[in-house]
């Protein structure tokens, strides 16, 4: 990895502000950074000298004079976000101002090739500053200061193949995929303007992204929101089993129950959640009853979440959870069992995880550049 140039503290601060703003004039940077105009002018000159900032045009200042507009320069670099989903791998490359530079999507089994495709589309002169990999298994970890090294074998061969495809020396961070999606909902989706909420994902697996005070809550072991570990079932004579709740409420069990309940007189049984919900919307009584039952189950899980967190807002996402048809049943069951809590559907959809991972990668990339500020003003 190309090392970022050493900067004065003021230049480091102005760089972070410019990355957040995207483009800005020097007066705007002075206001945003809360620095004097002479200090900002010197900082911008320093950043231009090492190609971390560049002139990108002019703008009217409102006084008859034009002000120079600045953006990040080519040496600022890029970041990579990788969503290792259960079926698809999605990859995004972004500039440190969040600008989308490259993206690629492909089957999970071809994850390494998808990563290479995105890497090849990044500008050749843009150093890679950070990589964030969103995974569904919180036990996969990275040793600080090293490359990507899973602490357990549960990450699997696809994960290992991706590590080989990544350039050496670039800081890599693993993050829970549901936490990434929660970040996307916070900044770009259904939770914009809300500082405390829960993102409840129901799909092949289940999980909860917890946002408190505008920050994702990770927990002492990085495992906050791992709903699959909730003891289930609780009943006389029944012993809770490991991840039994996820097994019961996940998409595979939903489709298995559909197959068991589907009468031959109603035609071919839906084999995907999309088809099941489509049939329910078209008036199929059997499909509707299955969807309604699923909504009750999700509503009971939402009630458990609400009892612990009192989030005020729950955003439903995931391959089955995001269907708006679930909302009435989830809301009704939650209201029956708990106190009033707003429930809405995800607005970022399938892209939520990679969008959130990209946002996290950008923040880490900017930090990696500004950490080079070791000289005093």
């Amino acid at each position: 990895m190309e090392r970022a140039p050493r900067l004065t503290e003021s230049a480091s601060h102005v760089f972070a502000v410019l990355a957040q703003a995207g483009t800005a004039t020097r007066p705007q940077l002075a206001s945003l950074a809360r620095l004097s105009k002479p200090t900002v002018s010197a900082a911008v000159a320093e950043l231009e000298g090492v190609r971390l900032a560049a002139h990108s045009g002019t703008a009217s200042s409102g006084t008859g004079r034009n002000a120079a507009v600045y953006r990040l320069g080519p040496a600022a670099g890029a970041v990579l976000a990788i969503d290792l989903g259960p079926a698809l791998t999605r990859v995004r490359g972004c500039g440190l101002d969040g600008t989308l530079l490259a993206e690629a999507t492909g089957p999970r089994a071809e994850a390494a090739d998808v990563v290479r495709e995105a890497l090849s589309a990044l500008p050749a002169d843009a150093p890679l500053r950070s990589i964030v990999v969103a995974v569904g298994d919180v036990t996969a970890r990275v040793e600080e200061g090293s490359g990507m090294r899973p602490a357990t074998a549960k990450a699997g061969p696809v994960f290992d193949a991706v590590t080989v495809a990544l350039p050496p020396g670039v800081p890599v961070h693993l993050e829970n995929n549901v936490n990434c999606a929660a970040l996307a909902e916070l900044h770009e989706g259904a939770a914009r303007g809300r500082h405390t909420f829960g993102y409840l994902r129901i799909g092949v697996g289940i999980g909860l992204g917890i946002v408190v005070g505008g920050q994702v809550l990770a927990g002492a072991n990085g495992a906050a929101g791992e709903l699959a570990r909730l003891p289930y079932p609780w009943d006389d004579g029944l012993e809770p089993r490991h991840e039994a709740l996820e097994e019961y409420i996940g998409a595979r069990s939903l489709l298995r129950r559909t197959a068991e309940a589907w009468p031959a007189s109603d035609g071919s049984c839906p084999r995907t959640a999309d088809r099941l919900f489509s049939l329910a919307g078209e008036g199929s009584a059997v499909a509707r009853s299955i969807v309604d039952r699923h909504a009750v189950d999700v509503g009971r899980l939402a009630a458990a979440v609400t009892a612990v967190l009192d989030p005020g807002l729950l955003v439903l996402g995931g391959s089955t959870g995001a269907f708006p048809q679930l909302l009435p049943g989830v809301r009704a069951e939650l209201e029956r069992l708990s106190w009033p809590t707003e429930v809405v559907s995800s607005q970022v959809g399938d892209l939520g995880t990679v969008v959130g991972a990209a946002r996290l990668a950008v923040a880490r990339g900017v930090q990696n550049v500004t950490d080079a500020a070791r000289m005093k003003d």
Side-chain angles (χ1 to χ4, degrees), residues 133-143 148-156 159 174-177 179 218 221-224 226 229 242-243:
V133 184
V135 295
D137 191 340
V138 75
T139 60
R141 288 288 174 234
V142 169
E143 295 179 11
M148 185 186 294
R149 297 178 185 174
T152 75
K154 293 184 71 174
F159 184 90
L174 268 66
E175 184 55 77
N176 179 275
N177 56 0
N179 288 346
N221 297 298
E226 286 292 315
R229 304 299 175 91
H242 181 71
E243 297 185 352

Side-chain angles (χ1 to χ4, degrees), residues 90-164:
R90 293 182 173 89
V91 183
R92 282 193 168 193
C94 297
L96 266 63
D97 59 358
T99 302
L100 181 64
L101 301 176
E103 59 183 338
T105 302
R108 178 181 172 88
E110 300 173 12
D113 291 334
V114 177
V115 169
R116 292 187 184 98
E117 179 184 345
L119 284 170
S120 67
L122 291 175
D125 61 345
L128 199 58
R129 299 298 185 191
S130 73
I131 299 169
V132 168
V133 184
V135 295
D137 191 340
V138 75
T139 60
R141 288 288 174 234
V142 169
E143 295 179 11
E144 291 296 329
S146 71
M148 185 186 294
R149 297 178 185 174
T152 75
K154 293 184 71 174
V158 172
F159 184 90
D160 295 338
V162 166
T163 68
V164 176

Side-chain angles (χ1 to χ4, degrees), residues 37-295:
K37 291 181 180 178
T39 299
V40 167
S41 293
V44 169
E46 181 182 346
L47 293 172
E48 282 190 288
V50 292
R51 301 172 67 239
L52 288 175
H55 184 265
S56 66
T58 58
S60 174
S61 64
T63 61
R65 300 177 62 183
N66 289 332
V69 177
Y70 295 91
R71 56 174 172 78
L72 295 185
V79 300
L80 200 68
I82 304 169
D83 170 19
L84 289 181
L88 293 176
T89 295
R90 293 182 173 89
V91 183
R92 282 193 168 193
C94 297
L96 266 63
D97 59 358
T99 302
L100 181 64
L101 301 176
E103 59 183 338
T105 302
R108 178 181 172 88
E110 300 173 12
D113 291 334
V114 177
V115 169
R116 292 187 184 98
E117 179 184 345
L119 284 170
S120 67
L122 291 175
D125 61 345
L128 199 58
R129 299 298 185 191
S130 73
I131 299 169
V132 168
V133 184
V135 295
D137 191 340
V138 75
T139 60
R141 288 288 174 234
V142 169
E143 295 179 11
E144 291 296 329
S146 71
M148 185 186 294
R149 297 178 185 174
T152 75
K154 293 184 71 174
V158 172
F159 184 90
D160 295 338
V162 166
T163 68
V164 176
L166 295 175
V170 181
V172 178
H173 174 75
L174 268 66
E175 184 55 77
N176 179 275
N177 56 0
V178 179
N179 288 346
C180 289
L183 275 177
E185 296 291 350
L186 172 66
H187 294 285
E188 304 177 39
R192 279 174 294 183
R194 306 290 287 266
H195 298 290
T196 298
F197 71 95
Y199 170 77
L200 181 57
R201 172 173 284 182
I202 308 294
V204 174
I206 61 174
L208 177 69
I210 305 167
V211 176
V212 178
Q215 301 293 322
V216 173
L217 180 66
N221 297 298
E226 286 292 315
L227 298 180
R229 304 299 175 91
L230 284 173
Y232 177 86
W234 278 12
D235 200 353
D236 292 342
L238 296 176
E239 186 75 13
R241 293 178 290 106
H242 181 71
E243 297 185 352
L245 179 59
E246 181 173 83
E247 180 184 332
Y248 169 76
I249 207 169
R252 292 189 180 97
S253 290
L254 173 64
L255 293 176
R256 184 172 61 251
R257 287 193 294 273
T258 300
E260 292 169 353
W262 201 262
S265 59
D266 277 36
S268 60
C269 175
R271 297 186 177 183
T272 66
D274 283 347
R275 182 57 180 159
L276 172 64
F277 280 84
S278 177
L279 288 172
E282 294 170 5
S284 166
V286 178
R288 183 71 258 175
S289 67
I290 294 169
V291 168
D292 288 346
R293 174 64 211 192
H294 191 56

